[in-house]
């Protein structure tokens, strides 16, 4: 089993990994799967909560119609996440940041597990479940200590309602986050795409930008994705097992 897994890493990839100066990693929910975080898609399923597809409860429209329901969904997810720990994939990626001259970690995850593993300067494309943001003045607040059953709270600065500081379907990404990630993608020489179904844009455009700019692109996922054909290598398997094979 171990021998088979080792053979997954080509000599070409080992050589590039040894020599790379500028590495970018894009992660999705799959990198946290081995910590116990449920993915949204994969294995032929998509997430449903209280009978609602997650794209409905996690949408700008739902926020307009029913802010308490959106809080309830994110409180539920925060409750799931509170006890979870980074896994070997998060830890390997955290080690990589000191291995290369330049290293960028871009994540679609809102769970904070990369930071818990020691990653610094993470570009969070979809926000953080551990922050709330005022709907009016955009003041943010740490909600790590908030009780899971607490509902929407008022902004301390202007008393308007707070909302989860995460990107919902139908919303723009945080100001400058995509541009920063795209700029890094244009200059990297090796790009890893780990644990994402690669169907949500603009995040899925990051490896496309890297590839177009000449980077060697490697996907790590137990399933093929719409990006697989664009990649130079597809390493089919669990992130926590495969990333360790690289070092
Ligand atoms: P998805 O849930 O869409 O995809 C998870 C991917 O991880 C799938 O392709 C799985 O095959 C793969 N996977 C599962 N277990 C894995 C493992 N152990 N190692 C590696 N890969 C594994 O998650 P994302 O692509 O992150 O957005 O989803 C993108 C966005 O859609 C999310 O950020 C979220 C969601 O709606 C917002 O909330 C704005």
């Amino acid at each position: 089993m171990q021998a088979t897994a080792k053979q997954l890493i080509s000599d070409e990839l080992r050589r590039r990994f040894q020599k790379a100066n500028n590495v970018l990693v894009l992660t999705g929910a799959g990198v946290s799967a081995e910590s116990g975080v449920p993915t949204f898609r994969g294995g032929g399923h998509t997430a449903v909560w209280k009978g609602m597809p997650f794209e409905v409860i996690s949408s700008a429209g739902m926020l307009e119609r029913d802010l308490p329901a959106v809080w309830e969904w994110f409180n539920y997810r925060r409750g799931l996440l509170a006890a979870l720990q980074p896994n070997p994939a998060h830890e390997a990626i955290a080690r990589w940041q000191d291995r290369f001259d330049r290293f960028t970690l871009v994540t679609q995850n809102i769970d904070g597990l990369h930071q818990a593993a020691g990653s610094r300067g993470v570009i969070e494309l979809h926000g953080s479940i551990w922050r709330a943001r005022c709907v009016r003045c955009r003041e943010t607040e740490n909600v790590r200590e908030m009780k899971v059953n607490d509902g929407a709270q008022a902004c301390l600065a202007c008393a308007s309602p707070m909302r989860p500081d995460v990107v919902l379907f139908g919303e723009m990404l945080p100001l400058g986050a995509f541009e920063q990630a795209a700029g890094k993608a244009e200059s990297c020489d090796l790009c890893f795409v780990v644990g994402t179904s690669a169907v949500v844009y603009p995040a899925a455009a990051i490896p496309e930008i890297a590839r177009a700019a000449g980077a060697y692109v490697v996907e790590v996922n137990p399933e093929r994705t719409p990006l697989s054909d664009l990649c130079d290598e597809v390493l089919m398997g669990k992130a926590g097992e495969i990333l360790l094979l690289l070092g």
Side-chain angles (χ1 to χ4, degrees), residues 78-93:
R78 246 188 18 261
L80 288 182
L81 289 170
L84 302 184
Q85 299 296 324
N87 67 55
H90 298 108
E91 287 159 7
I93 294 168

Side-chain angles (χ1 to χ4, degrees), residues 11 16 42 105 125 141 167 175 178 195 233 239:
D11 291 344
R16 287 179 180 269
L105 174 56
L125 292 179
E141 197 182 316
V167 176
L175 200 64
F178 178 76
E233 297 199 22

Side-chain angles (χ1 to χ4, degrees), residues 28-30 33-34 39-42 54 108-109 126 167 169 195-198 200 220-223 225 237-239:
E34 290 154 82
T39 59
F40 302 99
R41 311 172 186 84
F54 73 93
Q108 300 165 82
N109 299 345
H126 294 163
V167 176
F169 283 96
T196 175
S197 58
V200 174
V220 179
N221 197 314
E223 297 180 7
T225 76
K238 293 181 176 179

Side-chain angles (χ1 to χ4, degrees), residues 95-226:
R95 283 195 303 274
W96 289 4
Q97 71 196 337
D98 295 322
R99 180 182 180 131
F100 301 101
D101 287 349
R102 286 186 285 164
F103 181 81
T104 307
L105 174 56
V106 184
T107 190
Q108 300 165 82
N109 299 345
I110 60 175
D111 56 29
L113 288 173
H114 283 302
Q115 291 88 339
S119 285
R120 305 179 297 268
V122 184
I123 301 177
E124 290 182 315
L125 292 179
H126 294 163
S128 170
I129 199 165
W130 305 108
R131 279 193 313 268
R133 180 177 92 225
C134 175
V135 297
R136 195 165 77 86
C137 74
R138 303 182 71 85
E139 183 81 7
T140 59
E141 197 182 316
N142 185 332
V143 294
R144 211 168 259 279
E145 304 307 328
M146 197 169 122
K147 286 194 206 72
V148 163
N149 291 328
D150 287 353
Q153 303 199 342
C155 172
L156 294 173
C158 77
S160 299
M162 300 294 278
R163 54 162 287 179
D165 193 16
V166 299
V167 176
L168 302 174
F169 283 96
E171 293 185 326
M172 307 285 282
L173 265 49
L175 200 64
F178 178 76
E179 292 73 8
Q180 192 190 359
K184 301 286 187 184
E186 273 170 1
S187 63
C188 72
D189 43 57
L190 183 56
C191 171
F192 288 90
V193 191
V194 184
T196 175
S197 58
V199 293
V200 174
Y201 280 79
I206 299 292
E208 295 174 347
I209 293 169
R211 186 72 182 80
Y216 196 76
V217 180
V218 180
E219 179 173 63
V220 179
N221 197 314
E223 297 180 7
R224 288 185 70 82
T225 76

